[in-house]
């Protein structure tokens, strides 16, 4: 309990303190645009410009995700700071670029589709491998107007990135039972009741309008607070994320993180059968209500590629040295896989 409180305290002091939110919050950042390099994406920058008429000194609309590219970009920066406006990719690139170039970093998330804006580490790529690099964050500006304007299915996909806790917790419990991994006493009920509350309150918070945005912000803050409290990424990362990491190496198209995490979570929960901490049908129904495009068809991912990725998960997770998960236990066969995929599409 003392460790939990200490972790939560550190989270507030190191991260939550940097979050600035409220109406008109962007006016505080405007003077910084003159001296900053702005990183964004065409869609995020478009949304931002619809709300604010700002001319940045220099803007890059194709934030790199490759670590070597970020290192060479860092050498060319002669600005005082970096401003990142966008989703997960832009957040990760901005944080890493700021850390490498030792500049200040201001984040303006345009969508809450992943935990990237709240996570001090940057998830990047080195070749086709996913790597977690050091990041730096000075302040995080959360503009409710901007966030409410973003595509709903991306923001709601972010909720799947939190509700994956139902499955990730299953991995944690199994790791504790099989390998003696540390599982604090109250972790199971705390994570589970958090997921239950978010799942039940979600339908009352759609569509996403500015007054609903704080619900989404708080859900992310609480989820990351659990990780800091338990000194573990286990509450938000498990076998469902491991499939995503494997896909990142085999599928070269842009992926909607939240929607694929939704799909992977459903696959893993179905595979757990009676051990699942929630009836997978309940979660599937919610994702349909929220219109999260979780099916392979909606994602445009070839079924063959997804099947092969899943069949290879045991090898992938041992080769990459991933933490103990469902993939250390389940020997997935073709028939079970077909049954799961039929259920997903039904
Ligand atoms: Zn995620």
């Amino acid at each position: 309990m003392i460790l939990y409180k200490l972790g939560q305290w550190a989270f507030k002091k190191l991260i939550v303190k940097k979050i600035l939110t409220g109406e008109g919050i962007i006016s505080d950042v405007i003077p910084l645009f003159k001296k900053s390099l702005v990183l964004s994406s065409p869609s995020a920058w478009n949304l931002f410009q619809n709300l604010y008429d700002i001319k940045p000194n220099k803007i890059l609309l194709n934030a790199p995700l490759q670590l070597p590219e970020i290192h060479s970009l860092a050498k060319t920066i002669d600005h005082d700071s970096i401003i990142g406006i966008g989703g997960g990719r832009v957040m990760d690139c901005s944080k890493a670029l700021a850390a490498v170039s030792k500049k200040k970093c201001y984040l303006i998330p345009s969508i809450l589709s992943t935990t990237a804006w709240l996570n001090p580490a940057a998830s990047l790529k080195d070749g086709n491998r996913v790597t977690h690099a050091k990041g730096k964050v000075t302040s995080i500006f959360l503009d409710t107007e901007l966030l409410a304007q973003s595509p709903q299915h991306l923001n709601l996909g972010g909720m799947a990135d939190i509700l994956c806790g139902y499955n990730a917790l299953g991995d944690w419990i199994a790791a504790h039972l099989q390998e003696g991994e540390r599982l604090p006493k109250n972790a199971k009920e705390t994570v589970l009741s958090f997921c239950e509350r978010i799942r039940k309150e979600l339908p009352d918070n759609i569509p996403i309008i500015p007054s609903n945005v704080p619900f989404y912000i708080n859900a992310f803050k609480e989820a990351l607070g659990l990780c800091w409290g338990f000194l573990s990424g286990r509450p938000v990362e498990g076998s469902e994320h491991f499939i995503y990491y494997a896909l990142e190496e085999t599928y070269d198209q842009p992926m909607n993180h939240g929607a694929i995490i939704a799909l992977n979570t459903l696959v893993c929960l179905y595979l757990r059968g009676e051990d699942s901490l929630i009836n997978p049908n309940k979660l599937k129904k919610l994702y349909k209500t929220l219109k999260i495009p979780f099916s392979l068809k909606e994602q445009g991912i070839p079924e063959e590629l997804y099947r092969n990725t899943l069949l290879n998960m045991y090898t992938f997770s041992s080769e990459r040295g991933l933490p103990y998960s469902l993939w250390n236990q389940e020997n997935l066969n073709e028939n079970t896989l077909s049954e799961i995929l039929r259920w997903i599409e039904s």
Side-chain angles (χ1 to χ4, degrees):
M1 204 58 196
I2 291 172
L3 261 185
Y4 183 78
K5 285 197 173 137
L6 209 65
Q8 290 256 334
W9 175 81
F11 177 58
K12 285 198 182 100
K13 192 132 181 89
L14 296 171
I15 309 285
V16 177
K17 224 179 83 181
K18 295 178 176 172
I19 302 175
L20 300 154
T21 187
E23 234 174 279
I25 195 74
I26 298 301
S27 57
D28 292 354
V29 205
I30 291 175
L32 301 170
F33 273 82
K34 275 201 180 75
K35 296 176 181 171
S36 301
L37 167 68
V38 177
L39 295 181
S40 193
S41 66
S43 54
W45 182 243
N46 209 0
L47 282 179
F48 188 79
Q49 276 208 310
N50 283 340
L51 292 173
Y52 305 101
D53 181 24
I54 294 173
K55 302 257 175 299
N57 182 289
K58 190 176 177 194
I59 179 163
L60 288 180
L61 291 177
N62 53 344
L65 261 193
Q66 286 287 342
L67 196 54
E69 271 183 68
I70 288 176
H71 277 269
S72 39
L73 180 59
K75 289 183 194 135
T76 68
I77 299 177
D78 50 9
H79 300 79
D80 292 352
S81 47
I82 289 150
I83 298 179
I85 304 171
R89 180 192 178 113
V90 173
M91 298 295 111
D92 282 326
C93 175
S94 307
K95 288 183 292 183
L97 190 59
V100 176
S101 62
K102 299 193 172 64
K103 305 285 181 188
K104 289 189 171 158
C105 177
Y106 303 104
L107 299 178
I108 306 176
S110 62
I111 34 174
L112 301 177
S113 59
T114 71
T115 52
W117 60 278
L118 254 186
N119 199 336
S123 174
L124 300 166
K125 290 189 92 174
D126 195 352
N128 67 355
R129 294 258 175 128
V130 178
T131 165
H132 294 280
K134 200 174 162 236
K136 182 180 167 186
V137 179
T138 311
S139 305
I140 307 160
F141 296 88
L142 294 175
D143 180 280
T144 45
E145 282 285 331
L146 177 68
L147 291 165
Q149 270 203 13
S150 294
Q152 299 267 322
H153 70 278
L154 291 179
N155 275 327
L156 291 170
M159 290 296 105
D161 206 22
I162 284 178
L163 292 176
C164 73
Y166 280 116
N167 178 58
L169 180 60
D171 288 319
W172 200 4
I173 293 168
H176 173 68
L177 294 175
Q178 300 298 323
E179 306 224 304
E181 189 177 312
R182 179 181 161 267
L183 176 73
K185 239 190 192 160
N186 55 338
K188 184 183 167 182
E189 56 167 288
T190 311
V191 175
L192 200 54
S193 67
F194 167 69
C195 289
E196 287 286 281
R197 179 159 51 79
I198 296 300
R199 180 175 65 84
K200 286 177 187 154
E201 289 178 4
L202 249 174
D204 295 334
N205 286 282
I206 47 174
I208 305 174
I209 50 172
S211 60
N212 286 338
V213 170
F215 167 81
Y216 295 90
I217 295 174
N218 288 331
F220 274 102
K221 283 205 306 211
E222 278 187 65
L224 267 288
L226 289 177
C227 295
W228 281 72
F230 291 125
L231 304 172
S232 170
R234 285 284 196 185
V236 294
E237 188 190 43
S239 43
E240 75 297 324
H241 270 78
F242 302 162
I243 309 174
Y244 188 88
Y245 304 149
L247 277 174
E248 276 189 313
E249 293 189 14
T250 50
Y251 187 57
D252 56 1
Q253 300 296 312
M255 293 191 280
N256 173 349
H257 183 79
I260 294 173
I261 292 300
L263 164 69
N264 297 348
T265 303
L266 294 175
V267 167
C268 293
L269 291 174
Y270 191 97
L271 198 54
R272 288 184 190 281
E274 300 222 312
D275 288 340
S276 175
L277 294 165
I278 182 177
N279 179 342
N281 282 307
K282 260 192 199 168
L283 209 54
K284 188 176 148 196
K285 203 174 145 205
L286 174 69
Y287 291 161
K288 281 194 168 174
T289 310
L290 299 180
K291 298 196 174 68
I292 296 175
F294 63 81
S295 74
L296 286 173
K297 274 191 205 110
E298 286 166 298
Q299 284 302 314
I301 297 175
E303 187 177 319
E304 191 65 18
L305 183 130
Y306 191 70
R307 286 184 83 98
N308 290 336
T309 306
L310 282 180
L311 290 169
N312 192 44
M313 279 313 293
Y314 178 84
T315 313
F316 177 81
S317 67
S318 58
E319 274 180 9
R320 297 291 179 277
L322 295 173
Y324 187 91
S325 78
L326 186 64
W327 305 120
N328 296 74
Q329 322 156 44
E330 280 299 329
N331 237 339
L332 191 58
N333 64 51
E334 292 272 2
N335 288 342
T336 316
L337 183 52
S338 300
E339 185 189 314
I340 296 175
L341 294 181
R342 267 201 307 276
W343 171 72
I344 293 281
E345 305 291 334
S346 68

